[in-house]
Amino acid sequence: MKRFRRHGQESQRDRLKQELFQFNKTVEHGFPHQPSALGYSPSLQLLAIGNRSGAIKLYGAPGVEFMGLHDENAAVTQVHFLPHQVELVTLLDDNSLHMWTLRAHKGLSELLEIGRFIAPPSVTRVTAVLAHSSGDLLLLGTEGGHVFVVEVPGFRELEERNISLDQVASSVPDDYIGRRNLEHVEALQENPVNPNQVVIGYGRGLMVIWDLEKQCAIQHIPATQQLESVWWTEDGSYILSSHSDGSYCRWMVGGEDVNEEEEKSDIPYGHFPCKAISKIVQLPTVEGPPFLLFSGGMPRASYGDRHCITVIHSKTHVALDFTSRIIDFFVIRDGDTGDPSALVVLVEEELVVIDLQTEGWPVIQTPYLVPLHSSAITCSHHISAIPLKLWERVIAAGELQNTHYSKKPWPITGGQNLASDPPQRDLLLTGHEDGTVCFWDASGVCLYPMYKLSTAGVFHTDTDPNDNMNQGTEGEWPPFRKVVTHNLDDPRLGIQKIHLCKYSGYLTVAGTAGQILVLELNDEAAEQTVEAKVVDLLQGQEGFRWKGHTRLDMREEPVLFPPGFQPFALVQCQPPAVVTALTLHSEWKLVAFGTSHGFGLYDYQQKNNVFVKCTLNPSDQLAMEGPLSRVKSIKKSLRQSFRRIRRSRVSLRKHHVNNAAKLQDANARLEAELAEMELAPVQRKIEARSSDDSFTGLVRTLYFADTFLSDSELHLQTLNVAQKNVPASRRTYHTKEIQLMHRAPVVVAHDLARSPDMQGSHHLLVISEEQFKVFTLPKVSAKMKLKLTAVDGSRVRRVGVAWFGSNRSEDYGESGLMVLTNQGDVHVVSLPTVKMQVQYPCIRREDVSGIASCVFTKHGQGFYLISPSEFERFSLSTRHLVEPRCLVEVPPHSGTSTQNRRPPDGASSAHGYTLSQFIQKSLEGDQM
């Protein structure tokens, strides 16, 4: 009966787990890694970005986001929305075409792939795609010079409407064909005033205006330079072509063929050799001259390394200078007047939007797609439930930093954000290699920048923090204007640890060169000197010599700090090693810090060192070589591995000898215990580690607690737990030490008491890489433990305490410990019973940087870097989910949509294999 009762209890527990825990990857924050294509739908007001790994992402109004992933691991080279539809087509560099749609399901839109054509290797490459204004046709230009007309969404080819290279060549004057091959189709453009006419641009320069209805060429434009792009003006009267020599030409449409003598080219940036103009756009205005925009065209010798888009309007001529390669751009037009209102530029490292209606053409701040990696992210820190007062003060400080941005609202407004307002205000702080700390609003789907703190001003560096690099030199030609500036990084400035007290507004940050700054939130600018204190962590020990980087030189003169977090105290560790642990207690005015050499306690109110302890052993010579040299020799690692294997085998042999005698007794005990306790999972043996198996001096975690060890300090070899509750002037210190027998590095330790209730019992949870162990306080005696399950060699890498609320009952919830292992799995361990609850695969175990970057929240969520510029957000909670919930509807004036449109006869909704028979003809073009 006991067994049955136990089974029922387990079933009830399993049901409760389902109400508490559920794993979901919810949203990706930041800027897509390695973007490769850009698209825009004026009717839907949606932006699309494809990248080199085959992902496609759609963005509209803030909170409106969609993501799709091609099965093929190939780069997205082109993205085209079907006009006035909710479909789009993607072209990949493996020569496959894909049809996507935004389909409504249960009141929310989903991005789904509904059609696909994968060309066989023998088919020549598709080089140009035109989504016809009818919404039902695609024109595909190929490497062989053919143009195929395809019906969508089924990818059914309309053979009778194809434009073969032979048809075009036969209509071109003999003198032009005789001198050059037409080459591939470089560009396809539709006549804005006559949808039956398209211009076909060939690589060698020839442009042909083709009538789709009459199936004939009506005009030839024989340009002599290699063609890069074409643009048909809105009134249909001119075609602009841009070329590989940095020139562009304007051609009149209509009448007889244009003679080569009539070709009039303009090279905007001089007569010296220039780079190609890769794209050109001209848009009219209601009053005044048109806007002319083009990318490239810089003088090759002088500015060939610049990434520029030139904007010319009336007498204003500006070359917008970007910090990385330009992928593509488009222009958004005003809904009332039709005038150009914003220029949207996708470069390799960011999305930039320029306000074209405000004097000076300022940048519009982006509410999403914000680059997280203007300087490399070095650490992260998440704080939940920020008080409103602190939130408003941080926002106010950030607004003062953003006065150079345009006041215009975000111009991409497609879709409806149906997500409810966030239940609380959450902050994500990211530390960067250039010494900055970025404050992000992490409450909802959009990771929005609130404020940016720079610590570089405290030190003498190669760059002046007051430099304004956004303005070009007056009279300079080309007239450059830097759009964004990337910081010059001194790796020593890198932020390694962050701790913010959300109640007091005190912040402490620690860096790569042993620097610890204490900062206070101030609403007014202040000029002040930062008081420095040098801490010798070696405590005069002899025989140690630091071989790493030097410390940063601090400014001794007063520094003017803007409103926001302002530093007032600096602790400099000697040796200047990376700070590995940091914590702050604002009530006690204490900051604790640790490195690979020891730890210290600093009173930032009285600006005095309170306590310093060296943790080095004589065998820790490697800890003196700096962060770039801490690699053990392969010989030593292999030797120790083989020793552990031999010890394991010896242990197993000894166990086997005694096993037979004890088997019967063990079985009897097992029967008795099964009715009373849960069966422990299969666990590998925890191997003892020698003292030289790791850096024994490395301080990994620091934690303040008010517990029964009053007026004392509990010290683990890799842990300092300080308890202080007497006035600073009368503090005394004592230590207790716990040494785990297996010597695995301690990842974290936490006092499980919710508040300093001195009447109840207190426990200390110590988590090493291999096990969880609970000690009673103040005796420091082991009470219970849990070994990390595993035959797969799992080790703890990240932990965090979280609250998991039930999705069935608002009143019920449990505390749990979120655990991430080196295998990329996330676990939830119950507290305070320390029992394994659930396990989910989260991060690929090969993704070492992703595992190292993970940070947990207090409500069962987490973030980790999936690329240098993107965070993946996930949740283990059924109640707390932050994910896009949005709807995109078909524009009212559009025709039928994919949702009620059947594929044509002979075409599949998933494949359009008939197209390959016709594209195969383009092979003939390669043989000409």
Side-chain angles (χ1 to χ4, degrees):
M1 292 299 294
K2 291 182 179 179
R3 289 175 183 266
F4 286 108
R5 235 184 356 257
R6 179 170 167 269
H7 177 74
Q9 290 171 357
E10 286 182 350
S11 299
Q12 183 179 358
R13 182 61 193 169
D14 289 340
R15 286 194 295 270
L16 192 56
K17 288 180 184 178
Q18 293 177 4
E19 297 175 9
L20 294 171
F21 312 117
Q22 181 181 348
F23 178 76
N24 289 285
K25 291 187 177 181
T26 56
V27 66
E28 293 178 2
H29 297 300
F31 182 76
H33 185 48
Q34 296 181 325
S36 54
L38 176 68
Y40 179 68
S41 170
S43 59
L44 298 177
Q45 296 189 62
L46 291 180
L47 163 81
I49 296 177
N51 72 1
R52 293 184 200 171
S53 60
I56 179 76
K57 297 185 178 184
L58 274 60
Y59 300 91
V64 177
E65 299 184 13
F66 303 93
M67 178 181 171
L69 187 63
H70 296 87
D71 293 336
E72 298 78 6
N73 187 20
V76 181
T77 57
Q78 295 186 44
V79 179
H80 299 273
F81 283 90
L82 300 188
H84 310 298
Q85 301 292 341
V86 289
E87 288 87 43
L88 66 153
V89 173
T90 55
L91 174 66
L92 275 58
D93 68 354
D94 66 355
N95 208 29
S96 62
L97 287 162
H98 303 257
M99 176 71 70
W100 300 81
T101 188
L102 289 167
R103 182 169 294 168
H105 177 66
K106 295 182 179 180
L108 299 175
S109 295
E110 300 175 334
L111 181 62
L112 302 173
E113 183 179 357
I114 58 169
R116 179 185 310 179
F117 165 71
I118 302 176
S122 58
V123 173
T124 56
R125 189 166 54 93
V126 175
T127 54
V129 178
L130 172 62
H132 195 265
S133 60
S134 65
D136 296 322
L137 299 177
L138 286 181
L139 275 69
L140 307 176
T142 66
E143 203 169 33
H146 298 281
V147 178
F148 296 92
V149 183
V150 180
E151 193 174 52
V152 290
F155 287 120
R156 190 183 68 159
E157 191 268 346
L158 304 178
E159 183 179 5
E160 69 281 0
R161 304 184 71 173
N162 286 342
I163 307 168
S164 71
L165 187 62
D166 292 339
Q167 287 176 284
V168 174
S170 64
S171 64
V172 177
D174 293 338
D175 58 339
Y176 189 93
I177 285 292
R179 287 181 296 163
R180 54 178 67 85
N181 189 343
L182 298 183
E183 288 193 352
H184 63 280
V185 177
E186 180 66 45
L188 292 167
Q189 279 278 320
E190 181 179 339
N191 188 339
V193 298
N194 185 352
N196 285 323
Q197 294 181 1
V198 295
V199 58
I200 308 168
Y202 292 92
R204 281 293 179 89
L206 176 68
M207 288 164 280
V208 176
I209 298 178
W210 187 268
D211 191 303
L212 294 174
E213 186 175 7
K214 298 178 181 178
Q215 290 293 296
C216 65
I218 57 177
Q219 187 175 348
H220 300 88
I221 304 173
T224 56
Q225 292 293 329
Q226 189 82 14
L227 185 68
E228 293 289 328
S229 73
V230 298
W231 181 262
W232 209 320
T233 59
E234 193 167 87
D235 59 4
S237 58
Y238 289 95
I239 288 176
L240 275 66
S241 61
S242 67
H243 301 274
S244 60
D245 64 345
S247 67
Y248 70 89
C249 305
R250 187 185 306 271
W251 312 90
M252 183 175 288
V253 175
E256 301 294 328
D257 286 352
V258 179
N259 296 322
E260 291 184 17
E261 289 74 18
E262 298 177 18
E263 179 180 352
K264 294 181 180 179
S265 66
D266 186 356
I267 303 179
Y269 293 113
H271 301 288
F272 294 104
C274 294
K275 297 191 72 175
I277 294 179
S278 56
K279 181 174 182 177
I280 190 165
V281 171
Q282 179 178 298
L283 292 170
T285 59
V286 175
E287 299 177 0
F291 273 84
L292 180 67
L293 308 95
F294 58 85
S295 57
M298 289 292 117
R300 189 176 297 275
S302 305
Y303 303 107
D305 59 341
R306 299 290 185 100
H307 312 286
C308 296
I309 290 180
T310 298
V311 184
I312 303 172
H313 176 63
S314 186
K315 296 180 179 180
T316 306
H317 182 144
V318 172
L320 301 171
D321 187 9
F322 298 89
T323 55
S324 57
R325 185 174 65 90
I326 295 167
I327 305 298
D328 201 354
F329 70 90
F330 63 83
V331 177
I332 297 175
R333 305 179 69 175
D334 189 281
D336 298 326
T337 65
D339 285 0
S341 62
L343 167 64
V344 181
V345 185
L346 177 66
V347 297
E348 279 188 330
E349 303 294 341
E350 58 198 320
L351 182 81
V352 181
V353 180
I354 308 292
D355 178 5
L356 296 178
Q357 293 185 330
T358 301
E359 185 178 357
W361 296 339
V363 173
I364 300 175
Q365 189 172 19
T366 55
Y368 47 73
L369 289 171
V370 181
L372 306 174
H373 64 309
S374 55
S375 177
I377 294 176
T378 48
C379 67
S380 302
H381 180 62
H382 187 275
I383 311 101
S384 299
I386 302 295
L388 179 60
K389 182 64 176 177
L390 176 64
W391 188 265
E392 291 175 340
R393 294 177 69 191
V394 171
I395 289 177
E399 287 176 346
L400 294 175
Q401 297 177 333
N402 298 333
T403 55
H404 60 286
Y405 285 115
S406 168
K407 303 300 182 185
K408 291 280 188 179
W410 182 243
I412 302 171
T413 58
Q416 305 171 48
N417 179 14
L418 303 179
S420 55
D421 292 335
Q424 60 187 23
R425 294 170 293 273
D426 289 352
L427 271 179
L428 179 67
L429 275 59
T430 54
H432 297 262
E433 191 177 33
D434 63 353
T436 58
V437 178
C438 292
F439 288 63
W440 306 88
D441 179 355
S443 312
V445 171
C446 295
L447 192 66
Y448 187 76
M450 298 174 63
Y451 166 74
K452 186 175 183 178
L453 162 70
S454 175
T455 63
V458 180
F459 307 98
H460 289 286
T461 57
D462 294 335
T463 57
D464 184 349
N466 296 318
D467 281 347
N468 184 2
M469 299 178 65
N470 285 336
Q471 301 301 324
T473 305
E474 188 174 351
E476 181 183 21
W477 186 260
F480 293 117
R481 192 189 100 192
K482 277 196 172 295
V483 178
V484 178
T485 61
H486 280 257
N487 300 298
L488 300 176
D489 296 343
D490 182 341
R492 296 177 300 170
L493 287 168
I495 304 297
Q496 298 296 329
K497 296 291 176 182
I498 306 171
H499 191 104
L500 171 67
C501 176
K502 62 183 180 182
Y503 301 111
S504 65
Y506 281 104
L507 170 71
T508 180
V509 297
T512 304
Q515 72 272 25
I516 298 104
L517 281 168
V518 187
L519 308 96
E520 185 176 14
L521 186 57
N522 192 342
D523 299 329
E524 304 292 335
E527 187 174 19
Q528 60 194 34
T529 302
V530 180
E531 187 171 329
K533 203 77 173 179
V534 177
V535 176
D536 179 13
L537 292 177
L538 295 182
Q539 293 288 284
Q541 291 197 31
E542 297 180 357
F544 293 101
R545 185 168 61 89
W546 175 247
K547 302 176 184 178
H549 48 243
T550 60
R551 73 182 194 184
L552 289 160
D553 294 327
M554 185 181 165
R555 294 179 186 269
E556 297 180 357
E557 69 277 10
V559 179
L560 179 62
F561 296 105
F565 284 93
Q566 298 171 350
F568 63 88
L570 168 68
V571 179
Q572 178 61 59
C573 296
Q574 282 293 98
V578 173
V579 177
T580 57
L582 181 72
T583 190
L584 173 144
H585 200 297
S586 58
E587 185 180 353
W588 299 334
K589 310 299 182 186
L590 292 176
V591 169
F593 53 90
T595 72
S596 55
H597 307 118
F599 63 89
L601 204 57
Y602 178 74
D603 185 329
Y604 60 81
Q605 184 177 48
Q606 301 196 9
K607 299 182 180 177
N608 282 325
N609 296 327
V610 175
F611 183 79
V612 178
K613 182 174 176 62
C614 178
T615 55
L616 276 180
N617 284 333
S619 60
D620 285 332
Q621 292 292 338
L622 284 175
M624 304 302 293
E625 296 184 4
L628 301 180
S629 305
R630 295 178 187 173
V631 180
K632 300 178 187 178
S633 69
I634 295 177
K635 278 186 179 180
K636 184 176 180 182
S637 296
L638 287 174
R639 185 168 60 249
Q640 291 170 349
S641 298
F642 281 120
R643 283 176 182 170
R644 282 196 291 269
I645 292 171
R646 283 198 297 270
R647 284 199 299 269
S648 298
R649 288 175 178 171
V650 171
S651 175
L652 287 172
R653 282 198 297 270
K654 290 179 180 178
H655 179 72
H656 180 71
V657 172
N658 298 325
N659 191 48
K662 299 180 179 178
L663 181 60
Q664 187 174 358
D665 183 47
N667 284 338
R669 288 200 309 270
L670 182 61
E671 275 303 316
E673 292 170 357
L674 276 176
E676 300 177 4
M677 58 184 295
E678 292 185 6
L679 190 62
V682 178
Q683 296 175 339
R684 63 185 170 86
K685 183 177 179 181
I686 305 291
E687 294 287 351
R689 301 190 183 190
S690 62
S691 61
D692 62 347
D693 197 39
S694 61
F695 296 113
T696 57
L698 180 65
V699 179
R700 289 177 178 264
T701 195
L702 295 158
Y703 185 75
F704 285 115
D706 188 0
T707 183
F708 289 112
L709 294 179
S710 183
D711 303 332
S712 67
E713 177 178 287
L714 176 60
H715 169 227
L716 277 72
Q717 190 149 4
T718 55
L719 166 72
N720 173 30
V721 180
Q723 291 80 32
K724 314 288 181 295
N725 57 4
V726 293
S729 59
R730 303 194 317 26
R731 286 180 179 145
T732 58
Y733 301 94
H734 307 282
T735 65
K736 286 190 178 181
E737 183 171 307
I738 299 174
Q739 175 65 63
L740 300 182
M741 295 305 295
H742 64 284
R743 294 180 183 271
V746 173
V747 178
V748 70
H750 281 297
D751 188 328
L752 298 185
R754 292 186 179 179
S755 63
D757 178 10
M758 305 311 288
Q759 302 300 318
S761 61
H762 287 197
H763 298 90
L764 175 71
L765 172 62
V766 179
I767 304 165
S768 73
E769 286 186 342
E770 300 182 347
Q771 68 177 341
F772 309 82
K773 203 163 189 177
V774 177
F775 297 87
T776 60
L777 296 176
K779 293 182 179 180
V780 196
S781 58
K783 182 179 181 181
M784 62 186 77
K785 68 179 178 181
L786 171 67
K787 297 177 184 178
L788 187 61
T789 307
V791 257
D792 56 359
S794 291
R795 298 189 179 222
V796 175
R797 286 293 177 261
R798 288 285 184 274
V799 295
V801 177
W803 174 256
F804 296 91
S806 169
N807 62 355
R808 294 281 185 91
S809 172
E810 289 289 330
D811 301 327
Y812 185 77
E814 295 181 5
S815 289
L817 193 69
M818 300 175 70
V819 181
L820 174 69
T821 72
N822 63 334
Q823 305 294 316
D825 297 331
V826 286
H827 305 251
V828 177
V829 177
S830 63
L831 293 177
T833 56
V834 195
K835 293 180 180 179
M836 196 69 71
Q837 299 299 303
V838 289
Q839 173 184 351
Y840 305 100
C842 180
I843 309 174
R844 293 181 302 106
R845 64 180 179 182
E846 298 85 8
D847 187 3
V848 178
S849 61
I851 293 172
S853 66
C854 183
V855 58
F856 292 123
T857 78
K858 298 295 185 184
H859 290 88
Q861 299 183 63
F863 301 81
Y864 68 93
L865 288 172
I866 54 174
S867 75
S869 59
E870 294 171 287
F871 274 116
E872 175 84 71
R873 188 174 191 145
F874 64 91
S875 175
L876 293 171
S877 171
T878 57
R879 185 184 294 182
H880 293 279
L881 281 175
V882 175
E883 59 183 349
R885 295 177 58 82
C886 35
L887 178 65
V888 176
E889 297 178 323
V890 182
H893 57 281
S894 69
T896 58
S897 72
T898 306
Q899 299 176 47
N900 53 30
R901 185 169 55 198
R902 295 181 57 190
D905 294 338
S908 165
S909 63
H911 298 282
Y913 293 110
T914 54
L915 179 59
S916 62
Q917 303 168 8
F918 302 96
I919 294 188
Q920 187 71 34
K921 297 176 184 178
S922 64
L923 284 171
E924 300 171 4
D926 292 339
Q927 299 165 359
M928 288 180 62

